[in-house]
Amino acid sequence: MKAVIPAAGNGTRLSPATKVLPKEMFPLIDTPAIHMVVEEALSAGFDEVIVVISGVTSIIKPYLRKAFEDDKRGKIRFLVQDEPYGLGGAVLSASKAVNGEPFALLLPDEIFLGDTVAITQLIEAHYVKGASVIGASFVEEDEVSRYGMIILEPGLNRVAAFEEKPTATTSRQAMSGRYILTPGIFICLQKMKNNNHGGEISLTDALNLLLEDESIEMIELEGNRFDVGNKLGYLMANIEMGLRRPDLNGALKQYLMEVRERLIARGDEHA
Ligand code: UTP
């Protein structure tokens, strides 16, 4: 099975830096997010890791070539996004490379910190069910409008519908940037492209179309998820990683406690 990592977006939420530096190259302490997600795919054992880049994000290619040793570098392949229709277009650009097989999709602006490799958690479920599997994370009620939300069939892990950034919903399970998808998704994306009038092709809409023909399963992923494509998520991931690193943990913890004391002394009610 191959893995696809779309890294050709504009990253406007992290502008101005993203005018020249792709958000996937922003370091989490000292390691770019794209490095961590390629490492995740390689450690899950995929035969090939296809990274989709654009003119603006092309610096990812020389970086990954330098960052990985020969044995791993040989498994990383680059494609330029030739369908300018958002994330759906990036996935569609990989359809030939995936060659009619189920494939893993990892969004590099979502990272997981935990004991089990995030994408590995989906592979077994895919083989057992023979279906597409979507990774999910629990979110609070006031966060649902930021995510693609998953509505399940009652009492099952089978998806009934996906809702893109709803203002309100009964679900607390958000799509989390890790998927195993059957090639049926390319037919759905292509149909959407044919009816498209220049806008982005939404992966969520394509998944809803896929649901008309195939069942899709959901797995709640272990580990802490960070959306590093927005400012707050990026900051939080850096702090969390610092707290997990033995060389930084002590001094960082002390600094955070000092900050808290300062906020309390100032009468900050959220401290
Ligand atoms: P986003 O949906 O966050 O879009 O991408 P974006 O354009 O990068 O970011 P904002 O919203 O402008 O801040 C989710 C993932 O899909 C990739 C991105 O690189 C990111 O990893 N993507 C998005 C593409 O590969 N191509 C696209 O055309 C859009």
Side-chain angles (χ1 to χ4, degrees), residues 20-126:
V20 295
L21 185 70
K23 63 178 169 183
E24 292 82 1
M25 284 298 295
F26 281 31
L28 294 154
I29 303 182
D30 49 13
T31 306
I34 188 75
H35 184 136
M36 294 177 62
V37 176
V38 168
E39 188 73 66
E40 176 184 334
L42 290 169
S43 70
F46 295 111
D47 308 328
E48 193 171 278
V49 177
I50 300 158
V51 182
V52 184
I53 54 176
S54 69
V56 181
T57 70
S58 59
I59 192 178
I60 288 172
K61 183 172 171 177
Y63 172 77
L64 290 176
R65 289 214 163 131
K66 278 209 170 105
F68 286 91
E69 299 292 324
D70 277 353
D71 56 328
K72 291 183 172 174
R73 191 187 305 141
K75 292 190 172 168
I76 307 169
R77 173 174 167 198
F78 298 90
L79 281 184
V80 173
Q81 177 169 343
D82 55 8
E83 306 277 2
Y85 310 114
L87 173 58
V91 177
L92 199 51
S93 298
S95 68
K96 275 206 190 82
V98 162
N99 204 15
E101 304 277 326
F103 65 102
L105 177 66
L106 298 88
L107 305 191
D109 56 356
E110 310 251 355
I111 59 143
F112 283 82
L113 301 177
D115 295 332
T116 324
V117 177
I119 194 71
T120 307
Q121 299 171 45
L122 303 184
I123 299 172
E124 194 187 328
H126 165 72

